[in-house]
Amino acid sequence: MRKVLCIGEAVYDIIFKNEQPVEARPGGAMLNTSISLGRLNVPVSFSGDFANDHVGRIILNYLRNNNVNTRYVSMYENARSRIALAFLDKQNNADYAFYKLRTDQALVLNVPDIKQDDIVIFGSYFGIKPEIREQLKAFLEKARNNKAILIYDPNFRPAHLHLLRTVRPFIEENIAVSNIVKGSDEDFMNIYGTADSSETYKLLEPIGCRNFIYTANSKGVDLRSSELTKHYPSNELVPVSTVGAGDSFNAGLVYALLENNILYADIDNIQPEIWDKIIATSIDFASHVCMIYDNYITEEFAKNYINND
C-alpha cells in the first residue's frame, strides 16, 4: 500500500480575534495536513519534533487520536515546544508570531524507508532549517531516487525574511528535487518579489520546477507546467479563519493524487481533466477549513468524502 509522509514543524496554535484568544489546538503546516489525511484513513506518518513537555504530549496524543503514525516523531527532554500565535484581522486573515522550540539537544530527523509511488510532502521553515538541512537533503535525494512523489510547499513567512539570503539556496534545492511545487502568492512575493504566477514560474522552471500550483486566496489558483497553463477560480465565501486553508489544500492535493491513482511515472503527464479533479478537490478542502476555526478538515467532512468515493 502506498504511504504518505508529512515532514514539518509541530506547534501549538493559539488563535486571537479582537485581541482575545478564541481557539487553541495543535498546528504546523505539515502536521495540519497529516491530521486531515489521517481523518480520511490515508496511511500517513508525521515526521517532526517537539519537546516532551505538557504541550508536546498534547500534540502527540492528538496525532495518534487522528490516525496519524507518530513513530517518526522526535521528542526532546528538558525542552519547550513551539507556540504559534495567530492574530485574525477584520477579514479573518492571520498574522503570526512564532515562539521557537527550546532545546540543548541536537535536532534529529526520523524518517521511514520510502518506496516507489509513496508521497512525501514537506516545507515551511522545517524544510530549510540549517540545523537539520543535511539530514533532510539526504533523505529527499534518496526518496527521489526511489521514485517517490515529492511535494514542496515553501510556506515562507515574513518572520523569516531576515534569513532569506541564507536559506534561499535551500528553497531552490527543494524546488529542484520536487515533482510538484505548491505555494501562495505571499510565499513568492517574500522569496522573489514576484506578483503573479507567470512571473514566478519563469524563475522556477529553470531551477527544475515541472508542476507548479500557485494559490492566491480569493483570486483563485493557477496551474503551470510545460504542457499546461490554467486558472481555477476560488469558491465565493466569507472566511471564518484562513489559518489552515493552505495546509488543507495540500491534504486535498495528496488525497486526489491517491484517489486518481497518480503514480511517479504519471506525474509529469497528468491529463488536463485529471488536473481539474485534483485542483477542485484541493479547493474544496481549503474552502471547508476557511469556514471553521480548525486547522484541518472535520471528521464529518472526511466521512462524506470517503463515502462519496
Side-chain angles (χ1 to χ4, degrees):
M1 179 180 292
R2 299 172 70 184
K3 305 185 299 296
V4 177
L5 177 66
C6 301
I7 305 176
E9 289 91 3
V11 305
Y12 196 73
D13 283 340
I14 304 174
I15 302 171
F16 288 77
K17 180 73 173 177
N18 298 322
E19 300 188 358
Q20 294 294 321
V22 292
E23 293 287 343
R25 60 181 50 80
M30 297 304 152
L31 182 143
N32 293 340
T33 297
S34 75
I35 295 292
S36 289
L37 292 172
R39 290 179 174 180
L40 289 158
N41 295 328
V42 170
V44 59
S45 299
F46 176 72
S47 174
D49 58 8
F50 41 85
N52 188 12
D53 60 359
H54 196 104
V55 169
R57 290 187 289 275
I58 290 173
I59 296 170
L60 183 71
N61 289 331
Y62 198 81
L63 286 164
R64 289 174 173 171
N65 291 338
N66 281 281
N67 200 29
V68 179
N69 180 8
T70 60
R71 180 179 176 183
Y72 307 105
V73 167
S74 300
M75 296 183 72
Y76 306 112
E77 301 296 334
N78 302 315
R80 293 183 180 179
S81 296
R82 300 177 188 87
I83 300 290
L85 307 183
F87 300 92
L88 302 180
D89 62 18
K90 292 181 180 179
Q91 287 74 43
N92 291 318
N93 294 313
D95 183 34
Y96 297 89
F98 298 98
Y99 296 82
K100 296 180 180 180
L101 174 72
R102 301 296 180 186
T103 179
D104 295 329
Q105 296 175 246
L107 301 188
V108 177
L109 177 67
N110 288 324
V111 288
D113 289 330
I114 294 295
K115 296 181 171 57
Q116 182 169 334
D117 300 322
D118 288 345
I119 297 177
V120 176
I121 181 165
F122 69 105
S124 299
Y125 183 64
F126 203 84
I128 53 175
K129 194 169 187 173
E131 294 92 333
I132 62 161
R133 180 62 197 168
E134 291 307 312
Q135 297 176 63
L136 178 61
K137 183 178 178 181
F139 168 75
L140 294 174
E141 290 174 350
K142 183 177 180 181
R144 177 65 180 274
N145 290 336
N146 288 347
K147 297 184 179 180
I149 294 173
L150 303 185
I151 302 172
Y152 176 51
D153 181 357
N155 204 24
F156 191 78
R157 302 297 186 189
H160 298 131
L161 277 172
H162 67 288
L163 299 171
L164 182 58
R165 181 176 295 183
T166 299
V167 301
R168 193 157 83 175
F170 304 157
I171 293 172
E172 295 184 345
E173 288 174 349
N174 291 341
I175 291 169
V177 78
S178 297
N179 302 100
I180 298 174
V181 176
K182 173 265 173 182
S184 71
D185 51 351
E186 181 184 3
D187 293 336
F188 295 107
M189 175 60 73
N190 290 333
I191 297 167
Y192 291 113
T194 52
D196 59 46
S197 62
S198 296
E199 187 181 3
T200 305
Y201 188 60
K202 286 179 182 177
L203 296 177
L204 301 190
E205 188 177 20
I207 297 170
C209 177
R210 301 186 305 285
N211 300 288
F212 178 47
I213 300 171
Y214 180 94
T215 61
N217 294 318
S218 61
K219 296 178 183 177
V221 176
D222 288 340
L223 172 65
R224 302 296 300 266
S225 72
S226 59
E227 303 295 330
L228 185 62
T229 298
K230 190 163 185 178
H231 175 77
Y232 299 86
S234 295
N235 296 331
E236 292 187 11
L237 50 83
V238 179
V240 170
S241 169
T242 61
V243 172
D247 313 330
S248 302
F249 185 102
N250 290 342
L253 172 61
V254 172
Y255 186 71
L257 290 173
L258 293 170
E259 286 298 299
N260 287 279
N261 198 31
I262 302 300
L263 306 177
Y264 177 86
D266 308 320
I267 199 69
D268 292 331
N269 300 290
I270 299 174
Q271 296 301 305
E273 62 271 18
I274 302 299
W275 269 122
D276 291 348
K277 293 180 181 180
I278 292 169
I279 300 300
T281 299
S282 304
I283 291 174
D284 194 29
F285 277 45
S287 298
H288 167 68
V289 171
C290 280
M291 302 309 298
I292 56 178
Y293 279 118
D294 268 333
N295 297 348
Y296 5 78
I297 62 171
T298 62
E299 293 174 342
E300 181 179 2
F301 181 91
K303 287 177 182 177
N304 288 337
Y305 249 90
I306 294 168
N307 292 335
N308 288 334
D309 291 335

